[in-house]
Amino acid sequence: MTVGELFIESLSSGVITPHELDWVVEQQPGFSRLEEATALRLGRLIDQGDIQLGCRLPAAKLHNDSVREHWIEPLGRRRHNHSPGSQQ
């Protein structure tokens, strides 16, 4: 992992994990000037609330949640309606 990769991942997802933040702190003494500037920018984005401390959900989990919400649960709600013309 590099600071640049972490910066792009955090910026695109809006999340940085505690493990990643710990890694930045541990690696800081060996950073180049560019890496220092990137870490500072990352810190500012966290301070501004543009990047949140948390965990990232894998893409498969997000896809599964979408399938459940849009396909499976509506079918289940329809199945449990007993009167033919009733609304959900």
Side-chain angles (χ1 to χ4, degrees), residues 42-78:
L42 185 59
R44 286 188 190 112
L45 291 168
I46 293 168
D47 289 343
Q48 294 169 355
D50 294 328
I51 294 177
Q52 303 294 317
L53 183 62
C55 65
R56 285 189 204 89
L57 296 176
K61 167 87 169 107
L62 294 174
H63 175 72
N64 290 343
D65 288 347
S66 175
V67 167
R68 184 178 64 241
E69 173 146 349
H70 295 291
W71 292 97
I72 297 171
E73 288 196 14
L75 291 173
R77 285 191 292 262
R78 285 187 207 128

Side-chain angles (χ1 to χ4, degrees), residues 71-83 86 88:
W71 292 97
I72 297 171
E73 288 196 14
L75 291 173
R77 285 191 292 262
R78 285 187 207 128
R79 191 179 83 217
H80 293 295
N81 287 339
H82 296 291
S83 56
S86 66
Q88 296 176 16

